[in-house]
Amino acid sequence: MIKPKTSESQLASVAMRKGSATLRFLLPVIVILCVLLLWFFISYINLFPAYALPSPVAVLKSFKEEMLAGRLVNDIIASLWRVAVGFVIAATFGIPVGLWLGQHLYAKQAFVPMLNFFRFLSPLAWIPFAILWFHIGDKPAIFLLFMATFFPLALATMSAVATIPSIYFRVAKDYNYKGIELLTKVTFPAVLPQVITALRVSYGIAWVVIVAAEMVGCQDGLGYGIWEARNGLRLDSAVCYMIVIGVLGMGIDRLLAQLTKLPNVRWGYER
Amino acid sequence: MYAGVMKDKSSVNRLVLENVSHSYGAVAVLNHLSLVVNPGEIVVLVGPSGCGKTTILNLLSGHIEPMSGSIQREGVIRTVYQHDGLFPWLTVLENISIGLRSLKDATQREKELRELLELIHLEGFEHHYPHQLSGGMKQRVELARVLAGDSDILLMDEPFSALDYQTRLRMRHELVRLLKERPRTVVFVTHDIEEAAQLADRVLVLSNRPATISHELQINAQRPRDLTDNAVIEAMTAILKELGLQTSDRNDV
Ligand SMILES: Nc1ncnc2c1ncn2[C@@H]1O[C@H](COP(=O)(O)OP(=O)(O)OP(=O)(O)O)[C@@H](O)[C@H]1O
Ligand SMILES: [Mg+2]
C-alpha cells in the first residue's frame, strides 16, 4: 500500500525538479527572443545614436563581414589556443600542488597566506609585468591566464583534500596503500569531483581574463578584436565579438560539464 | 606480516592483548585488559556505549598503539567498518579487487573475483558504484573485500548496525555462511545481543569505562543458529542478566 504512494510522490518531485523537456528548451529561447526584441526596439526608436548602439542588423552584417575576411575565425582560434595552454599549465601545476599542500600540514600553514594573497590579486594587475617580461603575443596572455587560474585551482584542491573522510585513509592503510599509490589511487579520486568543479570555475575566470589580456598584449584574439573595433569606432563589430565570446564561453563550459558525467565521479554530485 | 618460515602453528592468526591500558588524555578507556583470540574463533564484544570497544579494535588492528601492555598479532588483519568503508569512485568489482592486491596473477585474480561476487550474490551488480547499492548490498561488498585473498583476521565494528532489522537478520546468516566457506578469526563488536548470541563462539561482556571483561560466555552450539534456538535464547538471557537488563532482575535496578 505504501510503496506505490512513495514512488508516485517521488515521480512528482522528480518532475518538479526537471520540468518538462519542451519547457526547458522553450523558456530560455523565449527570454533570448525578448532581449533581442528589446534591442531591436531601442535601436529602432533611436534612443541612442547608431554609432553608440549598433542595431542587430548592423551586427549581423559585420558578423558576415568578419567571417568572410577570416578574421573572426582566426581570432577565435588564437583565443582558444591561449586559454587551452594557460589553463592546462595551471592545472598540471595547480592540482598536484594542491594535493601536496593538502597532505602536509606545515607546508599548508606556510604557503596558504601567500597563495590567498595572489588569488585575491587581480591577474590584470600583472599586465605591466606580463608585457615587460614577455612582450607581445601568446606568452603574456598565457602568463596572465596562468596567474588567474593557478591559485584558485591549487587552493580548491587543497581544501578538497581536507574534506576527505578519514575512513578512506584507514581503509587505504588496511590494504597497504602507500606513497604515490596512495596519492593516485585514493587521495586524487576522492577529490576529483571537487577538482572538476574547481576546473569549471577557474575556466570561467580564464575566459574572462583572456579578453582583457588580449586587449593589451596581443595582435589578434577575441579581446584584441573588440579593442580594434573600439579604435575604429565600429561598435557593430565589437558587439559581434561580444556575442561570440559569450556563446563560446558557454559552449566550452557545457563541454567541461560533461566531465561530471564520468561514472567514477558521479558519487560526488549525488548527495 | 607473516612470522616467516618458522611459523608456529599454535600462534597463527592468534590475537593477544596482554595487560593493555589506554587513555585519551584524562579519559582512561582500558585498564589492564587481557584478551586472547584463538585461531578460527568468533569473539563478540558487547558492552555499554563509550566503554572502549572501538578502541580495542583499533589496538588490535594496530591503528593506535597502547600506552602500556603488549599486543601480539599474526596474520593479515582487515576491518569491516560500520558504513562508508567502500571507495565510492570504484565499482563493486574494483572495490573487491582491493582485497586481492597482493595476488599478482591476473587470470587467478579474475577467477577469485568472480567467485567472491557469486559468494555474496551480487552477480549483475559488478559494475555498479556504491552509491547505487542498498545498505545491505554495500556491507556484502565489504565482506567480500575482507574475505578476498590472504586475510586471516577480521575485525568488525558494528558492521550491520546501520541496516534495518530484517536486513540485519539476513546479513547475520550471510556472514555465517561466508565464514563456513572461508573460515577466519573474527572479533566482532555489536550492541545487538541477538547478534552476539547467534554469531559468537565466545561473548565478552565489557564493563563501563575503563573497560574490563566483566563476563565471559562460551556458546558451543552449531552455526547457523536461529533466533529461536534454545542455545541462542539461553545465551541472550545470560548476556541480558549480565548487563542488568533482564526483567526478572528488574527490582535490582
Ligand atoms: N580519538 C579520541 N580522542 C579522545 N577520546 C576518544 C577518542 N576516541 C574515543 N575516545 C573516548 O574513548 C571512549 C571509548 O571510545 P570507543 O569509541 O572505544 O567506545 P565504544 O565502546 O566503541 O562506543 P560505541 O559503542 O558508542 O561505539 C569514549 O568515551 C570516547 O569519548
Ligand atoms: Mg564504537
Side-chain angles (χ1 to χ4, degrees):
Chain A
M1 273 289 105
I2 287 161
K3 209 150 194 189
K5 211 168 166 190
T6 48
S7 70
E8 233 168 68
S9 67
Q10 264 167 10
L11 274 183
S13 73
V14 167
M16 280 262 276
R17 261 182 285 133
K18 298 212 165 164
S20 87
T22 14
L23 271 185
R24 203 161 57 147
F25 172 76
L26 222 58
L27 288 175
V29 170
I30 291 171
V31 171
I32 289 168
L33 283 179
C34 286
V35 172
L36 282 177
L37 266 176
L38 192 70
W39 179 17
F40 252 115
F41 179 71
I42 292 175
S43 71
Y44 182 76
I45 61 168
N46 283 322
L47 194 62
F48 302 98
Y51 69 83
L53 184 76
S55 75
V57 180
V59 170
L60 218 62
K61 262 196 204 141
S62 92
F63 183 74
K64 199 175 147 195
E65 194 182 304
E66 302 285 2
M67 282 302 270
L68 287 177
R71 264 194 34 173
L72 187 56
V73 175
N74 182 49
D75 286 340
I76 290 175
I77 291 170
S79 292
L80 284 179
W81 167 248
R82 285 166 196 149
V83 168
V85 173
F87 195 55
V88 166
I89 295 175
T92 21
F93 287 97
I95 296 170
V97 164
L99 288 175
W100 183 74
L101 288 174
Q103 290 186 316
H104 296 88
L105 184 63
Y106 289 125
K108 188 170 170 174
Q109 287 172 346
F111 284 106
V112 164
M114 203 39 139
L115 292 175
N116 258 323
F117 172 82
F118 283 118
R119 178 167 70 133
F120 287 111
L121 180 63
S122 163
L124 305 183
W126 289 99
I127 284 177
F129 292 95
I131 291 174
L132 207 67
W133 292 344
F134 299 105
H135 312 293
I136 296 287
D138 287 345
K139 280 187 217 148
I142 291 170
F143 170 72
L144 290 175
L145 288 167
F146 178 85
M147 293 312 268
T149 51
F150 171 81
F151 300 102
L153 267 176
L155 285 165
T157 307
M158 185 194 77
S159 344
V161 172
T163 67
I164 301 177
S166 61
I167 189 163
Y168 298 156
F169 291 118
R170 297 195 53 166
V171 173
K173 195 174 168 226
D174 285 352
Y175 294 92
N176 290 318
Y177 284 92
K178 287 193 196 92
I180 196 79
E181 207 187 8
L182 180 68
L183 194 71
T184 55
K185 298 253 171 86
V186 181
T187 313
F188 182 65
V191 296
L192 192 53
Q194 281 161 281
V195 167
I196 288 174
T197 306
L199 281 174
R200 286 180 68 186
V201 171
S202 44
Y203 157 75
I205 300 172
W207 197 242
V208 169
V209 167
I210 186 70
V211 175
E214 287 172 341
M215 282 185 176
V216 289
C218 301
Q219 300 286 7
D220 56 3
L222 294 167
Y224 179 77
I226 292 187
W227 195 245
E228 245 206 349
R230 189 214 81 116
N231 287 340
L233 274 183
R234 288 286 308 275
L235 287 204
D236 52 337
S237 160
V239 172
C240 156
Y241 270 90
M242 285 164 72
I243 293 173
V244 169
I245 289 168
V247 170
L248 262 184
M250 275 166 60
I252 296 169
D253 183 62
R254 291 317 310 157
L255 280 183
L256 284 178
Q258 298 305 307
L259 287 177
T260 65
K261 302 224 166 79
L262 291 173
N264 60 340
V265 301
R266 275 310 319 153
W267 62 274
Y269 308 105
E270 295 193 354
R271 297 196 206 203
Chain B
M1 294 261 173
Y2 283 106
V5 204
M6 305 271 291
K7 207 148 68 174
D8 170 10
K9 240 203 154 35
S10 67
S11 72
V12 175
N13 306 353
R14 219 160 71 118
L15 281 172
V16 182
L17 289 187
E18 242 179 77
N19 245 332
V20 168
S21 302
H22 194 78
S23 50
Y24 294 104
V27 185
V29 181
L30 301 181
N31 198 7
H32 298 290
L33 185 92
S34 294
L35 162 64
V36 178
V37 181
N38 297 310
E41 195 182 21
I42 302 180
V43 170
V44 175
L45 304 178
V46 296
S49 182
C51 75
K53 302 182 293 294
T54 299
T55 306
I56 293 175
L57 290 193
N58 284 338
L59 287 164
L60 288 172
S61 68
H63 207 79
I64 54 176
E65 289 298 321
M67 302 207 140
S68 69
S70 75
I71 299 174
Q72 296 165 41
R73 48 178 99 79
E74 260 129 299
V76 174
I77 302 177
R78 290 179 184 167
T79 306
V80 179
Y81 298 93
Q82 192 173 354
H83 52 72
D84 292 336
L86 298 174
F87 289 147
W89 54 88
L90 298 181
T91 62
V92 167
L93 213 57
E94 290 164 342
N95 263 297
I96 298 174
S97 71
I98 288 173
L100 297 169
R101 269 160 55 80
S102 52
L103 198 60
K104 292 285 173 260
D105 183 75
T107 47
Q108 206 184 337
R109 194 166 58 207
E110 193 58 31
K111 189 169 153 273
E112 236 322 71
L113 272 177
R114 291 289 142 196
E115 223 174 278
L116 284 160
L117 202 63
E118 206 174 304
L119 203 63
I120 55 167
H121 300 308
L122 279 183
E123 303 105 318
F125 288 92
E126 53 266 57
H127 301 303
H128 281 56
Y129 285 85
H131 73 269
Q132 300 168 314
L133 303 178
S134 72
M137 288 158 105
K138 278 190 260 197
Q139 291 311 86
R140 262 144 68 198
V141 178
E142 291 236 19
L143 290 179
R145 185 170 72 181
V146 294
L147 287 169
D150 56 3
S151 68
D152 303 302
I153 298 166
L154 310 185
L155 307 178
M156 306 198 179
D157 196 355
E158 306 182 36
F160 307 144
S161 66
L163 307 175
D164 66 84
Y165 184 67
Q166 289 183 30
T167 312
R168 222 179 313 156
L169 289 183
R170 219 163 277 133
M171 288 300 295
R172 277 179 217 158
H173 287 305
E174 197 90 334
L175 179 64
V176 167
R177 185 178 61 80
L178 292 173
L179 288 174
K180 278 249 149 73
E181 298 265 340
R182 295 170 179 243
R184 299 285 189 272
T185 306
V186 178
V187 182
F188 192 109
V189 165
T190 183
H191 280 124
D192 191 329
I193 286 137
E194 289 176 17
E195 199 160 75
Q198 274 187 292
L199 294 177
D201 290 315
R202 193 148 55 102
V203 181
L204 303 179
V205 182
L206 300 176
S207 67
N208 267 319
R209 214 179 48 230
T212 49
I213 297 168
S214 67
H215 188 74
E216 193 171 324
L217 180 75
Q218 192 83 29
I219 308 175
N220 290 319
Q222 280 278 322
R223 274 180 302 259
R225 303 171 190 149
D226 277 320
L227 258 184
T228 46
D229 285 357
N230 271 337
V232 171
I233 292 171
E234 269 166 34
M236 276 168 63
T237 316
I239 300 167
L240 286 170
K241 221 175 228 155
E242 191 52 41
L243 291 171
L245 294 167
Q246 185 71 355
T247 339
S248 51
D249 289 341
R250 190 167 37 192
N251 41 4
D252 298 355
V253 180

